[in-house]
Amino acid sequence: MFLQIRALLLVFLATHALGATYSQTDSFVGSSFLSGFSFQAISDPTHGRVNYVNAATASSQNLTFASSDHFVVRADFKNVLSSSGPGRNSVRLQSNKRFTTSVAVFNVRHMPQGCGTWPALWTVGSDWPNQGEIDILEGVNDQGVNQATLHTNSGCTMPSSRSQTGTSTGNNCDVAATNNAGCGVRMNDSRSYGPTFNNNGGGWFAMERTSSYIKVWFWSRQATGIPSDVLNGATSINTGNWGTPTAYFPNNSCPISSKFGAHNIIINLTFCGDWAGSVYGSSGCPSSCVDYVNNNPSAFSNAYFDFAWLKVYG
Ligand SMILES: *[C@@H]1O[C@H](CO)[C@@H](O)[C@H](O)[C@H]1NC(C)=O
Ligand SMILES: *[C@@H]1O[C@H](CO)[C@@H](O)[C@H](O)[C@H]1NC(C)=O
Ligand SMILES: *[C@@H]1O[C@H](CO)[C@@H](O)[C@H](O)[C@H]1NC(C)=O
Ligand SMILES: *[C@@H]1O[C@H](CO)[C@@H](O)[C@H](O)[C@H]1NC(C)=O
């Protein structure tokens, strides 16, 4: 009896708490981002100074560019904007497929930088916030570090002490109770965001979602001890070998499986708006956010993502 319980416990630990092995289900490299994702030419729900364009416009303006091992997504950096017109042309991509329990690994060479930029890699369900939101990469105005955040409806909180290398910004994930802030974790590696990320050649962001926890990891390109399955984009991975996550969101007092539905992966880049705009004045950036974005196209020549690949495992 004791041995049986111990065996069950070991199985539980192996499959739930300590990570698990997964096989690749999806691989996005170069032009397969264009077949696996759809352009969302929508108005930004976060009120950014942005004009999300469709696939034809993105292609003709070279805002998306695919080669054998690069997929580049950028904002326009050529045009001065009329203050009465729409915002700066940019791209918002949504995966055609939805994912529940899975691991996503992003190999990113470069992320958008520039005053006023607000880039994000994240996942979200169709009914926000009831199906939850998981932000893997997000920040504003070039100010690191990266922050990973969960957004939910009520009834999802995180333990104040947990096994992660990052620092919590708050432990209530409920958007209504936190003025939409959710429960964030700031990464303790300065290379995780913005110009510092880019100057170090980028790196890998990974998110593991099971029915009992969500974990996010970051490894700089220059880090030592990068797990070989991450480094090589292996077809089989073992998250149990990835070490302490940067951000750990366990289900102690958050029923992960009911707070998070089927999620699309989203890649977007906006400007100003609810976050980048509201803190612009204290960011050390010049002028006002909207004026800067309207009048300084060349300041956005580095406002692009360059992906080596994105792989999803299940
Ligand atoms: C389009 O963008 C790619 C990636 O940034 C760049 O290498 C290429 O030169 C651009 N093409 C044109 C015509 O500007
Ligand atoms: C981040 O935190 C971990 C664990 O506390 C520590 O080992 C590591 O040195 C820290 N890294 C940085 C860049 O501060
Ligand atoms: C956490 O998730 C596991 C696996 O799904 C489940 O067995 C357990 O009951 C959950 N714990 C809580 C407190 O919801
Ligand atoms: C992307 O869109 C979502 C809302 O759909 C928003 O929460 C997020 O801030 C946006 N970020 C960017 C970079 O557009």
Side-chain angles (χ1 to χ4, degrees):
M1 183 64 179
F2 174 72
L3 283 175
Q4 278 169 349
I5 290 174
R6 200 176 65 158
L8 280 173
L9 186 67
L10 286 174
V11 167
F12 172 79
L13 287 173
T15 55
H16 293 95
L18 300 179
T21 57
Y22 297 83
S23 300
Q24 181 179 295
T25 57
D26 301 87
S27 174
F28 303 96
V29 188
S31 61
S32 62
F33 276 94
L34 292 169
S35 47
F37 283 74
S38 297
F39 289 74
Q40 295 186 291
I42 57 173
S43 60
D44 179 3
T46 50
H47 314 107
R49 183 73 186 140
V50 74
N51 181 43
Y52 285 131
V53 301
N54 62 23
T57 304
S59 171
S60 70
Q61 298 187 357
N62 205 29
L63 304 184
T64 50
F65 172 84
S67 69
S68 62
D69 65 342
H70 287 262
F71 180 62
V72 176
V73 187
R74 62 157 66 252
D76 164 59
F77 61 99
K78 295 181 176 160
N79 295 293
V80 171
L81 308 181
S82 152
S83 58
S84 60
R88 187 157 293 287
N89 282 359
S90 185
V91 174
R92 187 184 203 264
L93 295 170
Q94 171 172 291
S95 67
N96 296 331
K97 217 169 139 177
R98 289 185 173 169
F99 304 93
T100 52
T101 55
S102 57
V103 179
V105 185
F106 297 81
N107 182 350
V108 186
R109 294 191 185 93
H110 188 280
M111 73 168 71
Q113 71 177 71
C115 284
T117 55
W118 176 1
L121 300 178
W122 53 298
T123 75
V124 69
S126 53
D127 176 20
W128 189 92
N130 298 319
Q131 295 189 339
E133 169 182 338
I134 305 169
D135 300 328
I136 301 163
L137 160 68
E138 193 174 21
V140 296
N141 301 319
D142 287 350
Q143 299 200 303
V145 289
N146 182 46
Q147 184 175 311
T149 307
L150 303 187
H151 299 258
T152 66
N153 60 15
S154 66
C156 174
T157 61
M158 291 296 135
S160 53
S161 170
R162 52 202 213 258
S163 181
Q164 60 184 16
T165 62
T167 307
S168 302
T169 61
N171 291 322
N172 191 347
C173 307
D174 175 9
V175 294
T178 58
N179 192 23
N180 199 12
C183 52
V185 175
R186 284 171 62 80
M187 304 193 161
N188 73 344
D189 188 331
S190 61
R191 300 169 297 190
S192 62
Y193 191 79
T196 317
F197 174 90
N198 294 334
N199 292 341
N200 284 285
W204 293 262
F205 293 93
M207 188 271 287
E208 179 185 24
R209 172 178 164 191
T210 73
S211 55
S212 53
Y213 63 76
I214 292 164
K215 292 178 179 175
V216 177
W217 287 264
F218 167 70
W219 297 273
S220 168
R221 191 83 52 199
Q222 309 302 328
T224 51
I226 301 164
S228 61
D229 45 7
V230 172
L231 186 69
N232 300 322
T235 53
S236 172
I237 58 170
N238 185 352
T239 58
N241 295 332
W242 290 3
T244 306
T246 318
Y248 177 47
F249 304 99
N251 73 342
N252 304 32
S253 51
C254 175
I256 298 279
S257 49
S258 64
K259 294 295 174 190
F260 295 85
H263 276 195
N264 295 98
I265 298 170
I266 305 211
I267 299 168
N268 61 352
L269 167 60
T270 192
F271 302 95
C272 310
D274 295 347
W275 186 10
S278 66
V279 299
Y280 190 86
S282 58
S283 67
C285 287
S287 174
S288 74
C289 195
V290 168
D291 285 348
Y292 188 75
V293 169
N294 286 350
N295 297 321
N296 298 283
S298 64
F300 301 98
S301 59
N302 283 316
Y304 68 91
F305 282 109
D306 182 352
F307 295 97
W309 45 256
L310 160 61
K311 293 178 190 239
V312 186
Y313 301 85

